[in-house]
Amino acid sequence: QLQLVESGGGLVQPGGSLRLSCAASGFTLDYTAIGWFRQAPGKEREGVSCISSSGGSTKYADSVKGRFTIARDNAKNTVYLQMNSLKPEDTAVYYCAARLLNYYCSGSTTDYDYWGQGTQVTVSS
């Protein structure tokens, strides 16, 4: 069974950091682009960052550039999202998604084949 599982969310104060993990099971991430998305209450799901299957290409939303870093460890079948200098507006459920057998990543939700269940990130004092 193909599955993505996110972890690492939680409550953090403004200015703090969290590292999210997206672990794949049932398939290899070697040929899979991965995207991170988030959805705040009452808002549409939006792209945060994505990474190509090789890790050679990454993209970031303007709102997180310079604060978030995406990376992958194919040996561990895991993709990470390091989030620094967190702001209250980063509060959302964060999802990772897999674009199977595709080198290029995308910021569009419709380009992804499998999704994790999400992990809550709350930035508040």
Coordinates of all heavy atoms in Angstrom, one line a residue, residues 3 7 9 31 37 49 57 70-71 86 91-92 102 106 110 118 125:
Q3 N 1.9 4.9 0.7 CA 1.5 5.7 1.8 C 2.5 6.8 2.1 O 3.7 6.6 1.9 CB 1.3 4.9 3.1 CG 0.6 5.6 4.2 CD 0.3 4.7 5.4 OE1 0.8 3.6 5.5 NE2 -0.6 5.1 6.3
S7 N 5.2 14.0 9.8 CA 5.4 14.1 11.2 C 6.2 15.4 11.5 O 6.7 16.0 10.6 CB 6.1 12.9 11.8 OG 7.4 12.8 11.2
G9 N 5.0 18.2 13.2 CA 4.2 19.4 13.5 C 4.1 19.6 15.0 O 4.5 18.8 15.8
Y31 N 12.2 8.2 -7.9 CA 11.8 8.8 -9.2 C 10.5 9.7 -8.9 O 9.6 9.7 -9.8 CB 11.5 7.7 -10.2 CG 12.7 6.8 -10.3 CD1 12.7 5.5 -9.8 CD2 13.8 7.2 -11.0 CE1 13.7 4.7 -9.9 CE2 14.9 6.4 -11.1 CZ 14.9 5.1 -10.5 OH 16.0 4.3 -10.7
F37 N 2.4 21.3 0.9 CA 1.3 22.2 0.8 C 0.8 22.5 2.2 O 1.1 21.8 3.2 CB 0.2 21.6 0.0 CG 0.6 21.3 -1.4 CD1 1.3 20.2 -1.8 CD2 0.2 22.2 -2.4 CE1 1.7 20.0 -3.1 CE2 0.5 22.0 -3.8 CZ 1.3 20.9 -4.1
S49 N 6.4 24.5 -0.9 CA 7.7 24.2 -1.5 C 7.6 22.8 -2.2 O 6.7 22.0 -1.9 CB 8.7 24.1 -0.3 OG 10.0 23.8 -0.9
S57 N 16.5 20.4 -8.0 CA 15.6 21.6 -8.3 C 14.6 21.7 -7.1 O 14.0 20.8 -6.7 CB 14.9 21.5 -9.6 OG 14.0 22.5 -9.8
I70 N 13.6 22.9 1.9 CA 13.2 21.5 1.6 C 14.4 20.7 1.2 O 15.4 21.2 0.6 CB 12.2 21.5 0.4 CG1 11.5 20.1 0.3 CG2 12.8 21.9 -0.9 CD1 10.3 20.1 -0.6
A71 N 14.4 19.4 1.7 CA 15.5 18.5 1.4 C 15.0 17.1 1.3 O 13.9 16.8 1.9 CB 16.6 18.7 2.4
L86 N 9.4 31.1 12.2 CA 8.0 30.9 11.9 C 7.2 32.1 12.4 O 7.5 32.8 13.4 CB 7.5 29.6 12.7 CG 7.9 28.4 11.9 CD1 7.9 27.2 12.8 CD2 7.0 28.1 10.7
T91 N 0.6 29.2 10.4 CA -0.3 28.2 11.1 C -1.2 27.6 10.1 O -1.9 28.3 9.3 CB -1.1 28.9 12.2 OG1 -0.3 29.4 13.2 CG2 -2.1 27.9 12.8
A92 N -1.2 26.3 10.0 CA -2.0 25.5 9.0 C -1.7 24.0 9.2 O -0.8 23.6 10.0 CB -1.5 25.9 7.6
N102 N 8.0 11.2 -11.9 CA 8.1 12.6 -12.5 C 9.3 13.3 -11.9 O 9.3 13.5 -10.7 CB 6.8 13.3 -12.3 CG 6.6 14.4 -13.3 OD1 7.5 15.3 -13.5 ND2 5.5 14.5 -14.0
S106 N 5.9 20.6 -8.8 CA 4.8 21.5 -9.2 C 4.2 22.1 -8.0 O 4.1 21.5 -6.9 CB 3.8 20.8 -10.0 OG 2.6 21.6 -10.2
T110 N -3.3 19.6 -8.3 CA -3.8 18.6 -9.2 C -2.7 17.8 -9.9 O -3.0 16.8 -10.6 CB -4.7 19.2 -10.3 OG1 -3.9 20.2 -10.9 CG2 -5.9 19.9 -9.6
G118 N -1.5 14.8 6.7 CA -1.3 16.1 7.2 C -0.8 16.2 8.7 O -1.1 15.3 9.5
S125 N 2.0 32.7 20.4 CA 2.7 33.0 21.7 C 1.7 32.7 22.9 O 2.1 32.8 24.0 CB 3.1 34.4 21.8 OG 2.1 35.3 21.5

